[in-house]
Amino acid sequence: MITIVTLDGPAGVGKTTLATRLADLLGIAYLDTGAMFRSVAFAFGDGAWELPVDQLVPELNRLDFDLEGVGKNSELLLNGYPLSPQIRSEEVGLWASHLGRIPVVRDFLRRNQQAIGRMTSLVAEGRDMGSVVFPEARHKFFLDASIDVRAKRRYSQLKAMGMEEDLERIRAQIRIRDDQDRNRVVAPLKPAPDAVMVDTSALDVDRVLEKLVEHIKEKGL
């Protein structure tokens, strides 16, 4: 039986770390849907969101995603190749947020995500996993935290990856992404009606992970 666990929430809330570790504990694949948006944005380049739909669609149809591995060893492939580390920059994240407002882009990636979910059990993290992409998922969580906490976490994450960013710039970009994600017409960022809400502001990763695992055990995998 295929099991889907969804982790949704805004930028910098800790979804990636938690989803990876949770997938490891459960022994299932980890799907980073944000990386899918970022990789499309990186492939298309700055300003791609201003292209007419009839130009975007054929370009999207040239892309094919696959997911290999389990837990922290899960790896997304785009047209058979690993995703570029450059997709993690704040600039590409902002491009992805712009592209994410376009219905044909979201529809294309939703179909790819659902196709992957039909093939394997997984922990899927993103913005609308529980509300739109996997509405029938057995376990749904929505993570949140204050913008200051999220900016500091994102700064530390990028620094650990060897990417130098300015904290105030990160905070400003998170505000922009929050506004775009929460107010877009298609699939806005919001909890699924049956999602478990978890505020991670005052909790470390281990404690949040405990909460997620406790809920999953209570409900059954």
Side-chain angles (χ1 to χ4, degrees), residues 90-131:
E90 285 300 289
E91 182 179 33
V92 174
L94 197 55
W95 295 355
S97 184
H98 289 316
L99 272 177
R101 302 168 71 182
I102 302 174
V104 294
V105 175
R106 299 201 71 84
D107 287 345
F108 169 79
L109 289 174
R110 174 180 51 79
R111 291 194 300 272
N112 276 263
Q113 292 152 9
Q114 290 172 334
I116 291 171
R118 285 192 293 269
M119 300 295 292
T120 184
S121 294
L122 51 81
V123 176
E125 62 114 324
R127 300 288 196 277
D128 60 352
M129 293 299 100
S131 58

Side-chain angles (χ1 to χ4, degrees), residues 43-163:
F44 288 2
D46 190 5
W49 51 91
E50 296 177 352
L51 294 173
V53 169
D54 61 357
Q55 288 186 37
L56 278 175
V57 170
E59 293 301 317
L60 287 167
N61 290 335
R62 293 189 179 96
L63 305 179
D64 181 57
F65 286 95
D66 291 301
L67 179 64
E68 297 180 347
V70 170
K72 65 177 179 293
N73 295 317
S74 300
E75 183 172 35
L76 269 169
L77 304 177
L78 176 58
N79 292 342
Y81 294 94
L83 306 185
S84 168
Q86 291 177 271
I87 69 169
R88 299 299 176 182
S89 73
E90 285 300 289
E91 182 179 33
V92 174
L94 197 55
W95 295 355
S97 184
H98 289 316
L99 272 177
R101 302 168 71 182
I102 302 174
V104 294
V105 175
R106 299 201 71 84
D107 287 345
F108 169 79
L109 289 174
R110 174 180 51 79
R111 291 194 300 272
N112 276 263
Q113 292 152 9
Q114 290 172 334
I116 291 171
R118 285 192 293 269
M119 300 295 292
T120 184
S121 294
L122 51 81
V123 176
E125 62 114 324
R127 300 288 196 277
D128 60 352
M129 293 299 100
S131 58
V132 175
V133 180
F134 299 112
E136 303 303 319
R138 183 168 180 78
H139 305 285
K140 302 178 187 178
F141 300 95
F142 190 92
L143 311 178
D144 209 347
S146 70
I147 193 165
D148 287 338
V149 167
R150 289 189 283 133
K152 289 175 183 176
R153 286 176 180 169
R154 182 65 177 154
Y155 175 81
S156 298
Q157 180 187 32
L158 291 171
K159 190 173 182 180
M161 294 168 64
M163 302 171 70

